[in-house]
Amino acid sequence: MKPSELFAYAKEAYGTEPERMWTKWPNYAVLRNDANRRWYGVVMDVPPDRLGLEGTEPVFILNVKVDPDDALVLRMSSDIMPAYHMNKKNWVSVRLDGELPDVMIEDLIDMSRRLTS
């Protein structure tokens, strides 16, 4: 799933526009709940070595909040890992260029939004 497709889903499902909060990182964007302003998603492009991956090209990831019990199972996928720069018990990072079906990424967005409501 491309970041633009992810943002289109968040807009259609929840009316969420991505917030670009950091001029230093123009590809980083936050998805927030309108009601309480809590983050339910963060899109970033990070160097692969920061994620324990091979290569030199930045990797787009989505950080989402998950139930801690689900996190252990989700991390069995090579495309889901402990969250980059977030609480690793309650958040995971999802590779957007991986093999996960778009519908699974959408389900994770939905779960994260529910958990942050």
Side-chain angles (χ1 to χ4, degrees), residues 46-77:
V46 296
D49 64 322
R50 300 278 173 98
L51 303 170
L53 303 172
E54 299 290 323
T56 57
E57 292 297 315
V59 176
F60 274 96
I61 59 170
L62 166 67
N63 282 357
V64 288
K65 188 169 189 171
V66 296
D67 181 279
D69 293 331
D70 293 338
L72 296 172
V73 174
L74 289 168
R75 288 188 202 128
M76 295 174 98
S77 166

Side-chain angles (χ1 to χ4, degrees), residues 18-112:
E19 292 182 40
R20 301 199 187 274
M21 302 173 60
W22 303 280
T23 54
K24 183 176 178 180
W25 295 290
N27 291 326
Y28 284 28
V30 172
L31 301 173
R32 287 185 195 257
N33 276 307
D34 289 335
N36 61 17
R37 307 295 296 153
R38 292 178 68 187
W39 296 6
Y40 68 90
V42 184
V43 173
M44 300 178 271
D45 65 336
V46 296
D49 64 322
R50 300 278 173 98
L51 303 170
L53 303 172
E54 299 290 323
T56 57
E57 292 297 315
V59 176
F60 274 96
I61 59 170
L62 166 67
N63 282 357
V64 288
K65 188 169 189 171
V66 296
D67 181 279
D69 293 331
D70 293 338
L72 296 172
V73 174
L74 289 168
R75 288 188 202 128
M76 295 174 98
S77 166
S78 60
D79 291 325
I80 300 176
M81 58 206 81
Y84 176 72
H85 269 293
M86 301 287 275
N87 178 306
K88 291 169 181 23
K89 179 180 176 186
N90 298 311
W91 291 78
V92 295
S93 290
V94 179
R95 287 185 65 165
L96 295 179
D97 66 344
E99 300 296 320
L100 289 180
D102 291 355
V103 69
M104 184 169 181
I105 295 171
E106 291 169 357
D107 287 347
L108 289 168
I109 291 169
D110 297 341
M111 179 190 324
S112 185

